[in-house]
């Protein structure tokens, strides 16, 4: 008998803001199936990070509901991994990548080595955390999240500053991580041209949700236009 996959995330008419009476994202409704890869796209300032913060429980909806496996995000912290947009460490911060991962009380030595290897940064295990590039740090932070064995991994703009192997390899890695770690992945992406190669679902945001669905059904030229205007060259969009 066919069993439908459980819903990992459900938003119903959810709005979020930082100040009372000033929502920056309005009336968003979508659901995300367990084991899928979802990409949030939209121009700068459209509310992608805000929406992600709402899903991980850092912001409470001012209206509507957010459910993670039928519960409030705050009660589901144990199954949520979140890699934020920016974390900076002082160059002289005196701990190595391995020490940093151990300090999170996550994973055995073998698990740490395995996950760093999988993410292509095992050679950095003894490097000082403050000396890593943006892309390297992002991979270490993903490793840290995965060691917590999350059911859902949220990534905010993971390809900004990616400098090892390029964006396409990074997205291939995400697919591999989904399978190997059995996680649902939700990520903010700037790479509109790569979305359809990777995502099962795309959610287009511009202060509200413009559309949600499979990339081939969702990313019409009209939608791309309403998100980014005529000039999408900076997004390297190559579908016509
Ligand atoms: P995106 O991730 O799509 O670039 P954001 O979610 O970061 O968009 O921002 C959406 C809007 O919310 C912007 O107008 C931004 O100025 C505002 N905003 C973001 N963070 C804060 C904050 N901490 N306090 C007040 N306003 C914020």
């Amino acid at each position: 008998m066919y069993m439908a996959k459980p819903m990992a995330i459900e938003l119903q008419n959810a709005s979020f803001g930082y100040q009372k009476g000033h929502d920056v994202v309005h009336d968003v409704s979508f659901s995300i199936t367990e084991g899928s890869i979802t990409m949030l796209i939209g121009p700068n300032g459209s509310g992608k990070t805000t929406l992600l913060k709402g899903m991980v429980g850092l912001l409470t909806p001012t209206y509507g509901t957010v459910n993670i496996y039928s519960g409030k995000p705050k009660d589901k912290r144990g199954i949520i991994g979140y890699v934020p947009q920016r974390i900076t460490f002082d160059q002289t911060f005196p701990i190595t990548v391995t020490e940093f991962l151990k300090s999170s009380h996550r994973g055995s030595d073998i698990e740490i080595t395995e996950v760093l290897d999988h993410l292509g940064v095992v050679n950095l295990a003894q490097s000082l955390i403050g000396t890593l590039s943006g892309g390297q740090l992002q991979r270490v932070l993903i490793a840290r999240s995965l060691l917590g064995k999350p059911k859902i991994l949220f990534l905010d703009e993971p390809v900004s500053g990616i400098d090892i192997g390029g964006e396409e390899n990074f997205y291939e890695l995400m697919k591999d991580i989904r399978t190997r770690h059995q996680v649902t992945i939700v990520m903010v992406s700037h790479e509109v041209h790569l979305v359809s190669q990777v995502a099962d679902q795309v959610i287009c945001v511009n202060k509200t949700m413009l559309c949600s669905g499979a990339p081939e059904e969702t990313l019409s030229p009209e939608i791309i236009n309403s998100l980014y205007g005529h000039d999408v060259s900076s997004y390297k969009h190559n579908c016509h």
Side-chain angles (χ1 to χ4, degrees), residues 16-19 22-25 40-53 59 85 156-157 188 190 205-207:
F16 305 95
Y18 298 89
Q19 290 149 341
H22 293 282
D23 289 342
V24 298
V25 186
L40 292 178
I41 64 166
N44 279 340
S46 59
K48 302 181 295 298
T49 296
T50 303
L51 205 48
L52 219 53
K53 284 182 179 168
L59 285 174
Q85 205 168 2
D156 201 349
E157 300 192 36
V188 167
H190 286 313
V205 191
N206 201 355
K207 307 286 181 195

Side-chain angles (χ1 to χ4, degrees), residues 11 13 17 21 54 57 65-66 70 81 101 107 113 142 150 154 163 175 189 207 218 228:
L11 272 71
N13 306 109
T65 55
V66 179
S70 309
L101 295 176
T113 305
I142 293 170
F154 292 93
D163 50 4
K175 285 198 219 173
S189 176
K207 307 286 181 195
T218 313
Y228 299 111

Side-chain angles (χ1 to χ4, degrees), residues 90-209:
D90 189 312
Q91 285 258 319
T92 58
F93 194 57
I95 66 168
T96 64
V97 166
T98 302
E99 286 163 351
F100 170 68
L101 295 176
K102 281 189 177 165
S103 71
S104 314
H105 304 291
R106 288 171 173 175
S108 64
D109 288 3
I110 291 173
E111 282 174 319
I112 289 176
T113 305
E114 267 177 11
V115 76
L116 287 177
D117 189 30
H118 185 200
L119 285 158
V121 286
V122 74
N123 58 320
L124 301 173
Q126 301 311 322
S127 302
L128 290 180
I129 195 105
T131 62
L132 305 186
S133 70
Q136 291 170 335
L137 182 60
Q138 210 115 35
R139 288 181 187 228
V140 170
L141 294 175
I142 293 170
R144 182 173 174 274
S145 282
L146 289 173
L147 286 165
K149 299 189 170 54
K151 289 183 78 166
I152 311 176
L153 183 62
F154 292 93
L155 307 172
D156 201 349
E157 300 192 36
V159 290
S160 56
I162 284 290
D163 50 4
I164 331 161
E167 297 126 8
E168 288 184 88
N169 288 349
F170 184 80
Y171 287 136
E172 285 306 314
L173 180 62
M174 287 299 111
K175 285 198 219 173
D176 199 33
I177 283 175
R178 178 250 303 264
T179 311
R180 210 186 281 204
H181 294 269
Q182 305 210 318
V183 283
T184 305
I185 298 179
V186 182
M187 63 170 108
V188 167
S189 176
H190 286 313
E191 305 301 324
V192 178
H193 68 302
L194 292 176
V195 162
S196 55
Q197 292 170 33
V198 189
D200 303 299
Q201 182 171 352
V202 55
I203 295 170
C204 309
V205 191
N206 201 355
K207 307 286 181 195
T208 185
M209 192 181 83

Side-chain angles (χ1 to χ4, degrees), residues 2-8 32-36 69 178 183-184 200:
Y2 175 74
M3 297 278 282
K5 286 202 167 177
M7 281 307 159
I32 292 178
T33 319
E34 181 175 75
S36 59
Y69 285 100
R178 178 250 303 264
V183 283
T184 305
D200 303 299

Side-chain angles (χ1 to χ4, degrees), residues 30-91:
F30 58 77
S31 45
I32 292 178
T33 319
E34 181 175 75
S36 59
I37 296 183
T38 298
M39 291 205 178
L40 292 178
I41 64 166
N44 279 340
S46 59
K48 302 181 295 298
T49 296
T50 303
L51 205 48
L52 219 53
K53 284 182 179 168
M55 285 188 265
V56 301
L58 293 173
L59 285 174
T60 309
T62 55
Y63 188 83
T65 55
V66 179
N67 279 312
I68 301 289
Y69 285 100
S70 309
K72 289 202 166 119
K74 280 184 182 155
D75 300 330
K76 302 285 178 174
R77 288 260 159 90
I79 60 164
I80 290 176
Y82 175 47
V83 179
Q85 205 168 2
R86 249 174 241 108
I87 292 190
T88 47
F89 291 93
D90 189 312
Q91 285 258 319

